[in-house]
Amino acid sequence: MTKQDRELLTRWLETPMEDEDLTRELLAVRNDEKEVHERFYQSLEFGTAGLRGELGAGTNRMNIHTVRQATQGFAAFLKSRNPHPSMAIAYDSRIKSELFARETASVMAANGVKVYLYKELMPTPALSFAVLDRGCDGGVMITASHNPARYNGYKAYDRDGAQISGEVAAAVSENIDRTDIFDDILRVDFDKALAEGTIEYIGEDLIERYFSAVMAEALRPELCREAGFKLVYTPLNGAGRRSVLEVLSRIGVTDVTVVPEQEMPDGNFPTCPYPNPEILEAMQLGLALTEKLGADLLLATDPDSDRVGTAVLMDGKPRLISGNEMGVLLLDYICRSRIELGKMPERPVAVKSFVSTTMADEVARRYGVEMRSVLTGFKYIGEQIALLEEEGHPERYLFGFEESYGYLAGGYVRDKDAVVGSMLICEMAAWYKKQGMTLGEAMDALYREYGYYHNKVDSYAFAGSDGMEKMAALMDSLHKEPMTAIAGRPVTSCADYLSGIRVEEGRETPTGLPTANVIEYRLGETGSVIVRPSGTEPKLKLYYSLKAEDKEAGAALYERCKAAMLERLGL
């Protein structure tokens, strides 16, 4: 235990804790040097994703004090741009989410910020919608997305409805650093502020406008009524239940069975310790129910309902549809439908994260759609929507997606939206059902047309207080000594997004994207390997996008490339 650890522990123990859980925790660990160090060796970093961390006592944990401190810093930033700012706040089902939302509202109101707060838990995209609908200067969503139950987070949004930029995050972080976690916090009694109108609950009228905006993106809303569609849905004990079921009912999806163990909000996530629709374990109950009922489709939304996972039955057995596959399926369906319905705009644009499958580029090219690739983070897709609006042509935007199960059609929000994603997936599945095909069979047909693409994301966690340092050292080694070959295949192009330089055939050119700690290796027609550290946790991600003759060849190529990467990284 360092001197700083001891001093901070003493101060926290001597400060009256309004949340008694924090006092109990500190008393329980005060003689455990390692546990004390983990709670106090640093403060949670405020970045473009806001705050995210384990729940608990200390500067390195999510609690009412770190939330208040972040909010005080965010409020100061908002007031530096507008003397009379406003703010929208939403929260999901996680442990203490509602408490943190109320604390955020109380601090904002005390700082002269008008607050619009959802009265019930709502999806993250509904927060983005409220920011835009009310013309707010910022927003906060209390969620840790798909992290395990012991985590919570504080997503910060700017006035454009997207998550804050690096410049805004840096300015807010400076304010936070100047704010004493106990002494410099302004707060007002929540109920008093509510009575006075400085905090205002968001009403059903705004929620209805959100639902209407989602519904406006339906292309063939009558299909689900005609197809006799049977759905299994799980909100994974999160915030999606009301919104997803409401919108689906409006397009005629009425034969819905919700996974009973995962239907109601529960931040403990008792049946899925890692409530992420990308993870097979989180989908198991839904898969079993889909198989039992012979349903056409399984949908699973993550706790804050901005991402949606999917599975279908093929030969009586469930098949998971990956995020890349669903992005390709939706892009193809939207383009096909708009052309057939006479609704394709001139010079249409689709957007994807640059770590997503290059198969989408081929699909876009076939339909005459411009595909724009951007950095990871849906705010960059939102930026492209905003650019089209500034040019006076918002109708050019068709669809955006990330391989991590995030989709958005329409510019009514600036974040991925599992509600519109769920609606369009059901509509598309109903369309294919009328053709006698499942979504799995539809994907296989696209593979036959475009070639097989093996896309895989591997994550490697670095535990402990030195985890981030270990990960940073690995990335530093790649920046200094880039690889020239992977699994016997020469690297034809190496893009270092930290320096902003791409090297190809000995020539250096700008990457054309903002600075990011990412390395991209292209292997000619074989595909690419991208190395990227997570921005919110000590986790290194490797993205493989490899083209092969068929599934078996793709899997074998992936294994060879993976072995080469692990050897180079010493993992």
Side-chain angles (χ1 to χ4, degrees):
M1 187 186 304
T2 67
K3 180 182 178 182
Q4 176 180 292
D5 294 340
R6 191 176 298 106
E7 290 175 348
L8 287 170
L9 172 64
T10 299
R11 188 180 183 205
W12 277 63
L13 283 171
E14 291 177 349
T15 301
M17 295 281 119
E18 295 169 53
D19 184 347
E20 295 180 357
D21 291 345
L22 304 182
T23 301
R24 283 193 292 269
E25 179 182 332
L26 290 176
L27 289 173
V29 304
R30 61 181 171 177
N31 295 319
D32 187 327
E33 293 190 6
K34 182 178 183 300
E35 288 297 326
V36 171
H37 181 65
E38 288 294 332
R39 285 158 178 77
F40 290 106
Y41 79 92
Q42 66 174 7
S43 295
L44 286 178
E45 182 179 354
F46 190 96
T48 57
L51 298 177
R52 188 177 299 185
E54 292 187 43
L55 290 159
T59 57
N60 191 36
R61 293 289 186 266
M62 284 292 299
N63 53 67
I64 58 173
H65 300 292
T66 51
V67 166
R68 289 172 182 171
Q69 185 184 38
T71 304
Q72 186 68 43
F74 196 13
F77 170 78
L78 295 178
K79 295 199 73 174
S80 71
R81 296 195 309 193
N82 179 356
H84 305 290
S86 59
M87 153 77 62
I89 302 172
Y91 59 95
D92 70 1
S93 64
R94 286 185 173 273
I95 297 168
K96 298 188 185 295
S97 277
E98 183 176 6
L99 172 64
F100 292 166
R102 288 168 64 97
E103 290 294 334
T104 301
S106 296
V107 173
M108 283 290 177
N111 280 274
V113 180
K114 169 72 176 186
V115 174
Y116 300 99
L117 171 67
Y118 278 106
K119 197 172 185 177
E120 61 184 287
L121 53 87
M122 289 292 286
T124 287
L127 181 278
S128 178
F129 184 84
V131 170
L132 294 172
D133 183 87
R134 291 296 172 95
C136 292
D137 297 276
V140 169
M141 177 72 195
I142 304 297
T143 180
S145 188
H146 54 279
N147 284 88
R150 67 181 184 275
Y151 284 82
N152 210 330
Y154 181 106
K155 284 185 181 179
Y157 285 73
D158 210 337
R159 55 193 168 194
D160 61 356
Q163 289 191 52
I164 57 175
S165 67
E167 292 76 13
V168 172
V172 174
S173 184
E174 287 182 12
N175 291 340
I176 293 171
D177 290 343
R178 293 193 294 265
T179 303
D180 184 87
I181 197 167
F182 296 123
D183 296 339
D184 295 340
I185 310 300
L186 301 180
R187 290 179 65 239
V188 67
D189 178 78
F190 179 88
D191 292 328
K192 182 174 183 289
L194 194 63
E196 294 176 347
T198 51
I199 297 174
E200 180 180 324
Y201 280 130
I202 291 172
E204 286 296 318
D205 55 339
L206 187 148
I207 295 173
E208 178 56 37
R209 288 196 293 276
Y210 167 64
F211 290 155
S212 296
V214 172
M215 289 292 300
E217 299 306 317
L219 295 167
R220 308 173 193 264
E222 75 287 347
L223 280 180
C224 292
R225 290 186 178 89
E226 300 171 355
F229 197 70
K230 181 181 290 188
L231 173 71
V232 171
Y233 169 60
T234 171
L236 296 179
N237 301 117
R241 179 176 175 271
R242 177 191 174 182
S243 299
V244 171
L245 293 179
E246 175 65 30
V247 167
L248 293 186
S249 71
R250 295 187 186 193
I251 64 166
V253 182
T254 55
D255 188 352
V256 182
T257 302
V258 181
V259 177
E261 300 92 336
Q262 298 173 340
E263 179 174 7
M264 302 310 295
D266 186 344
N268 292 297
F269 308 116
T271 63
C272 49
Y274 203 78
N276 182 351
E278 293 181 81
I279 305 298
L280 181 61
E281 182 182 10
M283 302 283 278
Q284 289 289 11
L285 287 175
L287 291 169
L289 193 54
T290 301
E291 191 170 357
K292 177 182 177 182
L293 298 177
D296 295 289
L297 186 69
L298 165 67
L299 293 178
T301 53
D302 66 341
D304 64 325
S305 196
D306 60 353
R307 304 191 307 152
V308 55
T310 316
V312 296
L313 290 177
M314 292 186 67
D315 299 321
K317 298 295 182 182
R319 167 176 165 174
L320 295 173
I321 306 292
S322 74
N324 276 311
E325 289 177 329
M326 186 52 70
V328 167
L329 281 165
L330 283 170
L331 177 62
D332 178 78
Y333 174 73
I334 290 169
C335 291
R336 180 196 306 270
S337 297
R338 281 182 169 268
I339 290 172
E340 290 178 0
L341 297 170
K343 295 182 177 179
M344 182 65 90
E346 294 184 8
R347 298 183 297 136
V349 172
V351 191
K352 69 177 180 67
S353 62
F354 75 136
V355 298
S356 299
T357 180
T358 53
M359 185 177 183
D361 298 79
E362 298 301 315
V363 173
R365 190 174 294 115
R366 173 189 169 184
Y367 290 106
V369 173
E370 177 190 350
M371 176 60 76
R372 298 181 181 180
S373 292
V374 296
L375 291 179
T376 302
F378 222 86
K379 63 177 172 286
Y380 297 111
I381 294 177
E383 281 181 0
Q384 295 302 314
I385 299 172
L387 286 173
L388 292 171
E389 289 182 349
E390 290 170 9
E391 293 167 6
H393 293 286
E395 78 286 349
R396 290 180 62 197
Y397 172 74
L398 297 182
F399 178 64
F401 82 97
E402 292 183 325
E403 51 75 36
S404 54
Y405 293 61
Y407 319 104
L408 176 65
Y412 60 95
V413 294
R414 294 292 185 271
D415 214 335
K416 50 192 176 289
D417 188 353
V419 183
V420 78
S422 296
M423 180 188 73
L424 288 172
I425 289 167
C426 285
E427 180 187 306
M428 175 174 62
W431 186 84
Y432 275 112
K433 185 176 181 179
K434 291 189 72 174
Q435 322 302 315
M437 302 170 69
T438 67
L439 289 182
E441 291 165 337
M443 190 67 230
D444 289 342
L446 290 175
Y447 281 142
R448 288 192 295 271
E449 182 175 355
Y450 292 97
Y452 182 78
Y453 288 75
H454 188 98
N455 293 282
K456 185 75 166 57
V457 183
D458 292 330
S459 296
Y460 302 92
F462 295 80
S465 57
D466 61 348
M468 295 296 280
E469 294 177 9
K470 292 177 181 177
M471 187 173 68
L474 282 180
M475 287 302 299
D476 188 54
S477 72
L478 290 179
H479 289 298
K480 290 179 177 177
E481 300 178 22
M483 299 173 69
T484 58
I486 299 175
R489 285 167 169 74
V491 172
T492 57
S493 168
C494 177
D496 185 331
Y497 290 91
L498 197 59
S499 66
I501 299 297
R502 179 184 296 278
V503 178
E504 187 170 7
E505 296 181 350
R507 297 192 305 273
E508 293 187 357
T509 58
T511 60
L513 292 179
T515 300
N517 189 16
V518 179
I519 298 283
E520 176 191 37
Y521 298 110
R522 292 186 182 173
L523 308 175
E525 294 184 359
T526 299
S528 66
V529 180
I530 296 175
V531 187
R532 168 184 169 266
S534 168
T536 57
E537 51 191 329
K539 186 179 290 184
L540 192 66
K541 294 187 176 184
L542 274 66
Y543 300 80
Y544 300 88
S545 183
L546 306 168
K547 187 176 182 180
E549 293 180 4
D550 53 35
K551 186 175 182 179
E552 290 71 24
L557 177 59
Y558 157 72
E559 291 296 340
R560 292 195 297 273
C561 289
K562 176 182 177 180
M565 293 303 300
L566 293 183
E567 181 179 2
R568 169 64 178 81
L569 294 170
L571 297 175

